[in-house]
Amino acid sequence: HTKRFPAAHQKPTDCDSNGSSCAGDAVMIKIDVPSPVPSEPRFPKEVGKTCMALLVLGFNFILATVSLAMVHDRVPNRDTYGPLPDVVLDNIRPVEWALNVSEVLIMVMVNSCVLLITFHKHRFIVMRRVFLMMSLLYFMRSITMYVTVLPMSSTSYYCSPKSNATTPLEIVKRAFQLISGFGLSINGKHTYCGDYIYSGHTVTLVMGYLIIAEYSPKKFWIIHWLAWCASLTGVSMVLLAHGHYTVDVLIAYYVTTRLFWTYHTLANNSLLLKQNGHNYIGREWWFFIFRYFEKNVRGPVPLQYDCPFPIPWTKRALKLPNRDS
């Protein structure tokens, strides 16, 4: 592009004998302006990274099921070792159907999150974050349940018979059964015991609420309250069924909320992507994973929604004024 500017009148050069009139020449100046370079998108999809995060999630989910398959044979005999003293469980009688209610609420929360993410304009970024956070939670849970095995908290929950000699093939069979039931007991697949520290039910319920509260408009406060109530009710049902010790639930809540809030604090502040002596959050063991997946996302993800399918009357995304609306 070329822009032209008329030069200012210069000092007169040709004047008459009386000096009463002078003539100035106007000079045209040409300045070459380079064509604007299209800037990179602030919120790139990076579908490849999202698929990679999904694979990481699948690996850690399998790792958690394998951990439970091995822990099952190490659970103390229920006839010899009763439940540990628990200030909550000791004061309520177990209600067997309460665990089914909790798992129904889990399915409701999970499907609500799937629906929300599907219609979010930046769905690949949100999916990638959920996959990574759940991967970290499954990985840590596979370690905690294996290193410390607690006695059964319930006296009535069915556990499959133990094996005298656990072979790799037996572990694979158990893991496949757990995976086929998505880790739920309502379908009769979760018959292996010992996965106490920490509560997977609580992790899913709390994570579901946090996702809905973070990635849906603040004006939908009724939905936020319903999600919070569903999460609280689901966790309460787990305790009512004696499905977990109280400490399992508390640890799960703490780990899930700290991870979610720390992850999003880093993601929403690009300056924290740099690991230096003053950024103590950068000392998290998973920081290098976070930096790889989030380095191209610049700032908080806007609350924008569109239809993922090519429908003619949905040409433009629904854009909210800001994240506080």
Side-chain angles (χ1 to χ4, degrees), residues 216-219 301-304 319-325:
S216 64
K218 293 189 180 298
K219 65 173 66 173
V301 174
L303 299 180
Q304 298 175 337
K319 183 177 181 180
L320 300 177
N322 52 58
R323 292 181 61 84
D324 297 328
S325 61

Side-chain angles (χ1 to χ4, degrees), residues 63-78 84 99 140-154 157-162 174 178 183 185 189-201 242-245 247-248:
L63 182 64
T65 58
V66 170
S67 178
L68 174 57
M70 294 188 295
V71 163
H72 176 73
D73 291 329
R74 297 170 52 210
V75 176
N77 193 323
R78 185 156 39 188
L84 296 175
L99 188 60
M140 292 186 289
R141 186 168 184 261
S142 65
I143 295 174
T144 56
M145 78 167 73
Y146 183 81
V147 296
T148 303
V149 183
L150 302 181
M152 292 292 298
S153 60
S154 173
Y157 187 85
Y158 174 76
C159 294
S160 295
K162 298 180 182 180
R174 292 176 179 178
L178 291 167
S185 62
K189 300 292 185 178
H190 195 294
T191 59
Y192 301 106
C193 302
D195 57 335
Y196 285 113
I197 302 175
Y198 40 85
S199 170
H201 288 67
H242 288 206
H244 274 280
Y245 292 104
V247 68
D248 304 336

